[in-house]
Amino acid sequence: MITRNYLLILITAIMTVTGSLPVAAQEVTLQSVQAETAFVFNTLLFLIGGFLVMFMAAGFAMLEAGLVRSKNVSMQCLKNIALYSISGIMFWCLGYSLMYSGVDGGYLGTFVPYSWPDAGAANEGDYAVASDWFFQMVFCAATASIVSGTVAERIKLWPFLLFVAVLTGVIYPISGSWKWGGGWLDAQGFQDFAGSTIVHSVGGWAALTGALILEARKGKYSKDGKVQAMPGSNIPLATLGTFILWLGWFGFNGGSQLALGDNANASDVSRIFVNTNLAAAGGVIAAMFLMQIIYRKQDVTLALNGALAGLVSITAEPLMPSPFLSILIGSVGGLIVVIAVPVLDKLKIDDVVGAIPVHLLAGIWGTIAVVFSNTDATLNAQLTGILAYGAFTVVASTTLWLLLKYTIGLRVSEEEEYLGLDKSEIGVEAYPEFV
Amino acid sequence: MITRNYLLILITAIMTVTGSLPVAAQEVTLQSVQAETAFVFNTLLFLIGGFLVMFMAAGFAMLEAGLVRSKNVSMQCLKNIALYSISGIMFWCLGYSLMYSGVDGGYLGTFVPYSWPDAGAANEGDYAVASDWFFQMVFCAATASIVSGTVAERIKLWPFLLFVAVLTGVIYPISGSWKWGGGWLDAQGFQDFAGSTIVHSVGGWAALTGALILEARKGKYSKDGKVQAMPGSNIPLATLGTFILWLGWFGFNGGSQLALGDNANASDVSRIFVNTNLAAAGGVIAAMFLMQIIYRKQDVTLALNGALAGLVSITAEPLMPSPFLSILIGSVGGLIVVIAVPVLDKLKIDDVVGAIPVHLLAGIWGTIAVVFSNTDATLNAQLTGILAYGAFTVVASTTLWLLLKYTIGLRVSEEEEYLGLDKSEIGVEAYPEFV
Amino acid sequence: MITRNYLLILITAIMTVTGSLPVAAQEVTLQSVQAETAFVFNTLLFLIGGFLVMFMAAGFAMLEAGLVRSKNVSMQCLKNIALYSISGIMFWCLGYSLMYSGVDGGYLGTFVPYSWPDAGAANEGDYAVASDWFFQMVFCAATASIVSGTVAERIKLWPFLLFVAVLTGVIYPISGSWKWGGGWLDAQGFQDFAGSTIVHSVGGWAALTGALILEARKGKYSKDGKVQAMPGSNIPLATLGTFILWLGWFGFNGGSQLALGDNANASDVSRIFVNTNLAAAGGVIAAMFLMQIIYRKQDVTLALNGALAGLVSITAEPLMPSPFLSILIGSVGGLIVVIAVPVLDKLKIDDVVGAIPVHLLAGIWGTIAVVFSNTDATLNAQLTGILAYGAFTVVASTTLWLLLKYTIGLRVSEEEEYLGLDKSEIGVEAYPEFV
């Protein structure tokens, strides 16, 4: 042993004296190769996760185009491509730095425009700066997509897009900074892995306030309390939208691991894929069982929303639960949808696509359910987060909706609503030969 | 030379004496970095391949929604999202261990529920356990998707879903274990790279037995031998479904390489992408040429099914053939579709979407065609596999279909069939404003 | 310092003498591990980029199926799946070697059929040969997709497909070789990162000559100069197609970085994702603003084409611009669409889907805009490239269109056009129950 140590010390001494001997240099190089490989993997995770979540914009567009009546379909398509575009521009000029730059335990970041390293230059850190921006931007856009479905068929185009601009440039980034930017809720121990609250509830609260302020579509609720069914015009499009959203959710939750550079992270991303899928499956099956028990019939739109509610429910913690617990968490999401849709109708809250049960209620449920598997989560911190996001988003979006309502106006005229927004505001019918 | 060897021996001696000298330590580290990088690449292949195959569920849904009549479209959408959900749950609670755990040259695995390593833990082996589960699960779901199109427009919802549960939880995993679980057919040298037989023929046999036991849709075949055309309601949706399936097939075949960690494997996955694409292209063009010769017209649905038959044909061996051979193999698949569709009608086998020619017949062809390029394959072993999978699936699924038929019943009433399943079982019409 | 250098020289001397000592061997191994990791990353970039661009075939199919009238939808679906199939086969048997093999500063490559390394063999170079083939093939197919929309609703099936075969097997590969194959325009310093000119303008010129030679659809332009609106039959499909194209463009531009193996390349691919997304967003918003100013209404199809024009505009240089410049470049693309669509109608050039403004005009704009950010680009070289591609494609495709016109004929009869191509050439209606 002494001989070994003596020789080792001797070699080390020589290394120290020479300062640049090959062995030492190689140790650094091996580590740097490892680090660079991890950098590329992490960046690739953001890019793949990012394009999957980007495609969710198409999923929302198809879901909503399928669930509105044919006279409003072109408008819904336009709103969706416009809101995705606005989200990108607002998150570039305001949102990203407001959410991630210099939050330091506080309540918002800075208004410093974000700058990227030059082309051709290696980036510092564990991933490419621009890949992170892209991944975070598509989350921001998803928040806006949630709103458009609820307020469909009666809101004017430009006021809606103004709302989206403020939501994606200011409201979402500020509240997002509280946890993901390292703000005050992060310091409190609030846990929300991929955004059951930060994305889905925030979108859901904004949608709820919009539905309340806009009021219901004409004829939806009669004075004697009857609810007029206004069936969606294209169920296979809504189904396609749901499958696209399901696909995108692998990027949404899997990418939120934020790293793929080693065995442990790759294994965790894989677990997240499995749990995400099983929660959605649980949501579908639970919704179908409950429908069969209550109605003896199957409403396909509730099964689709069951999948989405299962996905929203597992989003706050897709890593820690066992597969079985994931199925349970998603199943409760599915049950929430079947129960909440008629309740909202009783409350005369007109949510055209069911986004409030799916994103707001299942989002709250998922955020609470974190405590079942993540030992870092406390019920107290989770409820604090849910309430904080709720209070802020309700106040901010109510203010904004009302400001729009009493200035440029939010709602189309009764005649325009009757004609359909495609004729009155767009001038292009969605299906000119079918209807 | 002597001097060189002397110095080398001296250095090695020092290394051996010290036991922990930097050079030796680094050799191990370099290998471990290489192994960890390969681990992440392999896992990533499963995750990317997996989400592409998952999206095939949307492809099947759109293909089938486009090819059934409008009165059954909502039902077809519901069946597809439900069957994908059930597949995931069944493959979790039963299928995966039955297919992969302790088969050892035998006929089935064990019923041990599968468990994943804990979150945050590095996994042993060459890829993350959960990524493999995800990839294998979506294959299982694809098998069930094949069945739903053939038996459309007349089967009841819940009996169909019970069939799916047993197919994905028991039948597919047991037969899958024979080859991919390392069972008796693997020992016989049967070759089926990505599942022309194991996935597609099995789905096709299950569909065929279902079609025979359910019998044809009312009015499809009149007593004087005439065939009543029942055209699909939405051709662009069927086209979209086909393109989505084509996209997904890059994951299906490419992911079945099971490794991406080095130059050779990455090069092989790339060959597979090329061959897969060319076989599909050959299927389209061959089908179109044959249609032009026979009918002087083009049936777009046969061109779409030609693509799918080309894809199924190359699935048993997408790696070894040259690009030219891949085009030929796929072309024969396309010809099979054009020839077989009217033959099935003469036999009064009512296959609503053409899944039997595409998945069963082209699957058999593709499994035989392995012998043209893979020297490990023998015609004897291939035919043994085809017959074994056929016999087992026919017996198992016939038993199951009959059990369902004589207990809860398989088929809707004639009146319900006339009305359409959307009105009778779903209560949500797919296109309430168009029809 | 002297001691250090002395020791270093001594160690180096020993290393040189022994020739095979562990340290030197490991340096090689570390470098080879690094190289192999980069190889897999580069290949993966081509495969992921490739499948995203492959999916653009579905995007074009849906965009065009949505923008033609219902009586021509099945035909448009068939043309799109057939053209994608033909592109693959032609690019295999002719195109790839004509474009990339032995161009050496000249005007075309060789007709040597391309061969891949055997299965299981490591490939030389920085990426798998077949992955590059796949990636380049889907670009070739995109060029053909551009043509099909413009000439829709009046061109016969087989002449169109013959045009596609020559376009993808000869015209595109020859002109592509000038820059991407290392031909004469590359030597001149022409810059076109991902193909604003090489793909989009070439497709656009071929479309323009086709529109001129085919002439307008019957009834589109009356003698008194009035333009008859012929609205698309399915706006949500067109919207879906646009979103799919947007998704695919991340592969189109991101993959054109051609490398992902290290920090700098991964960072550059990330920048490209961001710029690509922002240019598309700028195109949408600019088109919407201009429409609002001019028409006080929103034509959703112009907003969709605004996105595509933004994407085409940034394609020639998606790496170097700042995010803000990317928004500007894309915005100009969006403005071009809104301005050019009515101008084309005044010129009685009947472009069914708006492909000429989107791909040709925005492609020219994007190619010029390279000079704003890429210091290697000169206006002279860019204009030389634009003119060279324009002149060659116009001459080649005009010759080909005329050859087809005066032999087998290009255009369906007036009666067939009135009936719709689905009934006259296909025999399968797209929506048999809706219209």
Side-chain angles (χ1 to χ4, degrees):
Chain A
M1 291 297 282
I2 289 166
T3 313
R4 281 182 195 175
N5 285 342
Y6 176 75
L7 271 165
L8 205 61
I9 288 162
L10 185 69
I11 289 168
T12 309
I14 294 171
M15 282 159 63
T16 310
V17 171
T18 60
S20 63
L21 79 180
V23 174
Q26 264 182 272
E27 273 191 353
V28 171
T29 308
L30 182 58
Q31 287 164 346
S32 72
V33 167
Q34 194 174 17
E36 187 149 31
T37 300
F39 179 97
V40 180
F41 276 129
N42 296 341
T43 298
L44 192 56
L45 179 68
F46 281 142
L47 294 180
I48 294 173
F51 75 63
L52 288 173
V53 180
M54 177 271 161
F55 199 42
M56 291 173 74
F60 281 110
M62 293 303 105
L63 180 69
E64 297 172 15
L67 292 181
V68 301
R69 288 166 296 171
S70 61
K71 65 183 177 182
N72 298 313
V73 169
S74 288
M75 174 57 103
Q76 211 56 30
C77 291
L78 180 63
K79 279 175 181 162
N80 272 278
I81 199 158
L83 77 83
Y84 179 74
S85 302
I86 290 170
S87 300
I89 292 173
M90 294 307 296
F91 202 69
W92 162 72
C93 70
L94 277 183
Y96 188 65
S97 69
L98 206 47
M99 187 158 168
Y100 289 106
S101 175
V103 182
D104 286 335
Y107 294 83
L108 78 170
T110 60
F111 282 96
V112 178
Y114 210 82
S115 72
W116 278 260
D118 283 341
N123 285 202
E124 289 184 20
D126 296 330
Y127 46 78
V129 176
S131 72
D132 178 58
W133 184 89
F134 181 64
F135 187 68
Q136 303 304 341
M137 180 274 292
V138 289
F139 274 62
C140 177
T143 309
S145 295
I146 293 164
V147 182
S148 66
T150 295
V151 299
E153 304 204 299
R154 58 210 193 274
I155 197 170
K156 284 186 194 172
L157 175 63
W158 292 102
F160 170 73
L161 295 181
L162 280 171
F163 183 88
V164 166
V166 180
L167 177 69
T168 57
V170 182
I171 298 174
Y172 170 83
I174 287 179
S175 63
S177 80
W178 298 351
K179 168 65 189 168
W180 290 344
W184 69 278
L185 268 169
D186 191 45
Q188 300 251 338
F190 174 63
Q191 304 293 329
D192 190 3
F193 194 91
S196 286
T197 284
I198 298 169
V199 174
H200 294 280
S201 288
V202 164
W205 288 116
L208 175 62
T209 55
L212 289 169
I213 289 164
L214 269 172
E215 297 180 358
R217 288 167 290 177
K218 292 291 164 196
K220 178 70 186 173
Y221 306 114
S222 59
K223 285 172 188 166
D224 58 359
K226 281 196 180 153
V227 179
Q228 177 67 39
M230 294 178 169
S233 53
N234 197 325
I235 296 300
L237 276 196
T239 305
L240 175 65
T242 304
F243 272 117
I244 291 174
L245 289 166
W246 193 327
L247 170 70
W249 234 286
F250 296 113
F252 205 95
N253 289 358
S256 293
Q257 175 73 9
L258 306 182
L260 181 75
D262 56 23
N263 182 315
N265 276 302
S267 300
D268 281 356
V269 173
S270 304
R271 282 175 66 96
I272 292 168
F273 269 55
V274 171
N275 286 344
T276 299
N277 193 74
L278 287 175
V284 171
I285 301 305
M288 288 179 70
F289 278 153
L290 189 59
M291 275 191 276
Q292 198 66 23
I293 291 165
I294 299 179
Y295 303 111
R296 304 262 141 210
K297 280 214 171 189
Q298 291 293 322
D299 180 337
V300 60
T301 66
L302 291 182
L304 301 176
N305 273 334
L308 300 178
L311 289 161
V312 170
S313 301
I314 201 67
T315 293
E317 184 49 76
L319 173 61
M320 300 302 292
S322 68
F324 183 59
L325 181 56
S326 300
I327 296 171
L328 288 184
I329 290 170
S331 296
V332 173
L335 300 180
I336 286 170
V337 163
V338 176
I339 294 163
V341 165
V343 171
L344 283 175
D345 271 339
K346 276 197 185 137
L347 298 170
K348 299 193 178 180
I349 297 170
D350 187 11
D351 176 6
V352 178
V353 303
I356 294 168
V358 165
H359 298 278
L360 176 55
L361 302 185
I364 291 171
W365 154 244
T367 308
I368 294 169
V370 176
V371 300
F372 300 139
S373 63
N374 185 336
T375 52
D376 291 339
T378 65
L379 188 59
N380 195 37
Q382 296 308 94
L383 293 175
T384 304
I386 290 164
L387 288 172
Y389 278 96
F392 175 75
T393 312
V394 165
V395 170
S397 53
T398 300
T399 308
L400 184 54
W401 288 125
L402 290 174
L403 201 70
L404 291 164
K405 181 175 180 176
Y406 294 116
T407 54
I408 56 177
L410 269 182
R411 187 159 177 151
V412 299
S413 74
E414 199 162 336
E415 195 195 332
E416 288 171 321
E417 186 176 341
Y418 177 78
L419 264 177
L421 308 188
D422 291 3
K423 275 188 189 147
S424 63
E425 288 208 282
I426 301 288
V428 175
E429 290 172 76
Y431 307 109
E433 302 177 55
F434 302 166
V435 182
Chain B
M1 289 298 281
I2 289 168
T3 313
R4 282 184 196 174
N5 285 342
Y6 177 76
L7 270 166
L8 205 61
I9 287 163
L10 184 70
I11 289 168
T12 308
I14 295 171
M15 281 158 64
T16 308
V17 171
T18 59
S20 63
L21 80 181
V23 174
Q26 265 182 271
E27 275 189 353
V28 171
T29 309
L30 182 58
Q31 287 164 347
S32 72
V33 167
Q34 194 174 18
E36 187 149 31
T37 300
F39 179 98
V40 180
F41 275 129
N42 296 341
T43 298
L44 193 55
L45 179 68
F46 282 142
L47 295 179
I48 294 173
F51 76 63
L52 287 173
V53 180
M54 176 271 159
F55 199 43
M56 291 173 74
F60 281 110
M62 292 303 105
L63 180 69
E64 297 172 15
L67 293 181
V68 300
R69 288 166 295 171
S70 62
K71 65 183 177 181
N72 297 313
V73 169
S74 287
M75 173 58 100
Q76 211 57 29
C77 292
L78 180 64
K79 279 175 182 163
N80 272 277
I81 199 157
L83 77 83
Y84 179 75
S85 302
I86 289 169
S87 299
I89 292 174
M90 293 307 295
F91 201 68
W92 162 72
C93 70
L94 276 183
Y96 188 65
S97 69
L98 206 46
M99 187 158 168
Y100 289 105
S101 175
V103 182
D104 285 335
Y107 293 84
L108 77 170
T110 60
F111 281 95
V112 178
Y114 210 82
S115 72
W116 276 261
D118 283 343
N123 285 202
E124 290 184 19
D126 296 331
Y127 46 78
V129 177
S131 71
D132 178 57
W133 184 91
F134 181 64
F135 186 69
Q136 304 303 342
M137 180 275 291
V138 289
F139 274 62
C140 178
T143 309
S145 295
I146 293 164
V147 182
S148 67
T150 295
V151 299
E153 303 206 300
R154 58 212 194 273
I155 198 170
K156 284 186 193 172
L157 175 63
W158 291 102
F160 170 73
L161 296 181
L162 280 172
F163 184 87
V164 165
V166 179
L167 177 68
T168 57
V170 182
I171 298 174
Y172 170 83
I174 287 179
S175 63
S177 80
W178 299 351
K179 169 66 188 166
W180 290 345
W184 70 278
L185 268 169
D186 191 44
Q188 300 252 338
F190 175 64
Q191 303 292 331
D192 190 4
F193 194 91
S196 284
T197 284
I198 298 170
V199 174
H200 295 281
S201 289
V202 165
W205 288 117
L208 175 62
T209 56
L212 289 169
I213 289 164
L214 269 172
E215 299 180 357
R217 288 167 290 177
K218 292 292 164 196
K220 178 69 186 171
Y221 305 114
S222 58
K223 285 171 190 166
D224 58 0
K226 282 198 180 151
V227 178
Q228 177 67 40
M230 293 179 169
S233 52
N234 196 326
I235 296 300
L237 275 197
T239 305
L240 175 66
T242 303
F243 272 117
I244 292 175
L245 288 167
W246 192 328
L247 170 71
W249 234 287
F250 296 113
F252 204 95
N253 288 356
S256 293
Q257 175 72 9
L258 308 181
L260 181 75
D262 55 24
N263 182 315
N265 276 302
S267 299
D268 281 356
V269 173
S270 304
R271 282 175 66 96
I272 292 169
F273 269 54
V274 171
N275 287 344
T276 298
N277 193 72
L278 287 176
V284 171
I285 300 306
M288 287 179 70
F289 279 153
L290 189 58
M291 275 191 275
Q292 198 66 23
I293 291 166
I294 300 179
Y295 304 112
R296 303 261 142 210
K297 279 215 172 187
Q298 292 293 322
D299 181 336
V300 60
T301 66
L302 291 182
L304 301 176
N305 273 335
L308 300 179
L311 290 161
V312 170
S313 302
I314 201 68
T315 294
E317 185 49 77
L319 174 60
M320 300 301 293
S322 68
F324 183 59
L325 182 56
S326 299
I327 295 172
L328 288 184
I329 290 170
S331 296
V332 174
L335 300 180
I336 286 171
V337 163
V338 176
I339 293 164
V341 164
V343 170
L344 283 175
D345 270 339
K346 277 197 185 136
L347 298 171
K348 300 192 177 182
I349 297 170
D350 187 11
D351 177 5
V352 178
V353 302
I356 294 168
V358 165
H359 297 278
L360 176 55
L361 302 185
I364 291 172
W365 154 244
T367 307
I368 294 170
V370 176
V371 301
F372 300 139
S373 63
N374 185 337
T375 52
D376 292 340
T378 65
L379 188 59
N380 195 36
Q382 297 307 95
L383 292 176
T384 303
I386 290 165
L387 288 172
Y389 278 96
F392 175 75
T393 311
V394 166
V395 170
S397 55
T398 300
T399 308
L400 185 53
W401 286 125
L402 290 175
L403 201 71
L404 291 164
K405 181 175 179 176
Y406 293 115
T407 52
I408 56 176
L410 270 181
R411 188 160 176 150
V412 299
S413 74
E414 199 162 337
E415 195 195 333
E416 288 170 323
E417 187 175 340
Y418 179 78
L419 264 177
L421 307 189
D422 291 3
K423 274 187 188 146
S424 64
E425 288 208 282
I426 302 289
V428 175
E429 290 172 75
Y431 307 109
E433 300 177 55
F434 302 166
V435 181
Chain C
M1 289 297 282
I2 289 166
T3 313
R4 281 184 196 175
N5 285 341
Y6 176 75
L7 269 166
L8 205 60
I9 288 162
L10 185 69
I11 289 167
T12 309
I14 295 171
M15 281 160 63
T16 309
V17 171
T18 57
S20 62
L21 79 179
V23 173
Q26 265 182 271
E27 273 189 354
V28 172
T29 308
L30 182 57
Q31 286 163 346
S32 72
V33 166
Q34 194 174 18
E36 186 148 31
T37 300
F39 180 98
V40 180
F41 275 129
N42 296 342
T43 298
L44 192 56
L45 180 68
F46 281 142
L47 294 179
I48 295 173
F51 75 63
L52 288 173
V53 180
M54 176 271 158
F55 199 43
M56 290 172 74
F60 281 110
M62 292 303 104
L63 180 68
E64 297 172 15
L67 292 182
V68 301
R69 290 166 295 172
S70 61
K71 64 183 176 181
N72 297 313
V73 170
S74 287
M75 174 57 102
Q76 212 55 30
C77 291
L78 180 63
K79 280 175 182 163
N80 273 278
I81 199 158
L83 77 82
Y84 179 74
S85 301
I86 289 169
S87 300
I89 292 174
M90 293 307 296
F91 201 68
W92 162 72
C93 69
L94 277 183
Y96 188 65
S97 69
L98 206 47
M99 187 158 168
Y100 289 105
S101 175
V103 181
D104 285 336
Y107 292 83
L108 78 171
T110 60
F111 281 96
V112 178
Y114 210 83
S115 72
W116 277 260
D118 284 341
N123 285 201
E124 289 184 19
D126 296 331
Y127 46 76
V129 177
S131 72
D132 178 58
W133 184 90
F134 181 64
F135 187 67
Q136 303 303 342
M137 181 274 292
V138 289
F139 274 62
C140 177
T143 309
S145 295
I146 292 163
V147 182
S148 67
T150 295
V151 299
E153 303 206 299
R154 58 210 193 273
I155 197 169
K156 284 186 193 171
L157 175 63
W158 292 102
F160 170 72
L161 296 181
L162 279 171
F163 183 87
V164 165
V166 179
L167 177 69
T168 57
V170 182
I171 298 174
Y172 170 84
I174 286 178
S175 62
S177 79
W178 299 351
K179 169 65 189 168
W180 290 345
W184 71 278
L185 268 169
D186 191 45
Q188 300 251 338
F190 175 64
Q191 303 292 329
D192 190 2
F193 193 91
S196 286
T197 284
I198 298 170
V199 174
H200 294 281
S201 288
V202 165
W205 287 118
L208 175 62
T209 56
L212 289 169
I213 289 164
L214 269 172
E215 299 180 357
R217 289 167 290 177
K218 293 291 165 197
K220 178 70 185 171
Y221 305 114
S222 59
K223 286 172 188 167
D224 59 359
K226 281 197 182 152
V227 178
Q228 177 68 40
M230 294 178 169
S233 52
N234 197 325
I235 296 301
L237 276 196
T239 306
L240 175 66
T242 304
F243 272 117
I244 292 175
L245 289 166
W246 193 327
L247 170 71
W249 234 287
F250 296 112
F252 204 95
N253 288 357
S256 293
Q257 174 73 10
L258 308 181
L260 182 74
D262 55 24
N263 182 316
N265 277 302
S267 299
D268 280 357
V269 172
S270 304
R271 280 175 68 96
I272 292 169
F273 269 55
V274 171
N275 286 345
T276 299
N277 193 74
L278 287 176
V284 171
I285 301 306
M288 288 180 71
F289 278 152
L290 190 58
M291 276 191 274
Q292 197 66 23
I293 291 165
I294 301 178
Y295 304 112
R296 304 260 142 213
K297 280 215 172 188
Q298 292 293 322
D299 181 336
V300 60
T301 67
L302 291 182
L304 300 177
N305 273 334
L308 300 178
L311 290 161
V312 170
S313 301
I314 201 68
T315 293
E317 185 48 76
L319 174 60
M320 300 301 292
S322 68
F324 183 59
L325 181 55
S326 300
I327 295 172
L328 288 184
I329 290 171
S331 297
V332 174
L335 301 179
I336 287 171
V337 163
V338 175
I339 294 163
V341 164
V343 171
L344 283 175
D345 271 338
K346 276 196 185 137
L347 299 170
K348 300 193 178 180
I349 297 170
D350 187 11
D351 176 6
V352 179
V353 303
I356 294 168
V358 166
H359 297 279
L360 176 56
L361 302 185
I364 291 171
W365 154 243
T367 307
I368 294 169
V370 176
V371 301
F372 300 139
S373 64
N374 184 338
T375 52
D376 292 340
T378 65
L379 188 58
N380 195 37
Q382 296 307 94
L383 292 176
T384 304
I386 290 165
L387 287 172
Y389 277 97
F392 175 74
T393 311
V394 166
V395 170
S397 54
T398 300
T399 308
L400 185 54
W401 286 125
L402 290 175
L403 201 71
L404 290 165
K405 180 175 179 177
Y406 294 115
T407 53
I408 55 175
L410 270 181
R411 187 161 176 150
V412 299
S413 73
E414 199 162 336
E415 195 195 333
E416 288 171 322
E417 187 176 340
Y418 179 77
L419 264 177
L421 307 189
D422 291 3
K423 274 189 189 146
S424 63
E425 288 208 281
I426 301 288
V428 175
E429 290 172 76
Y431 308 107
E433 301 176 55
F434 301 167
V435 181

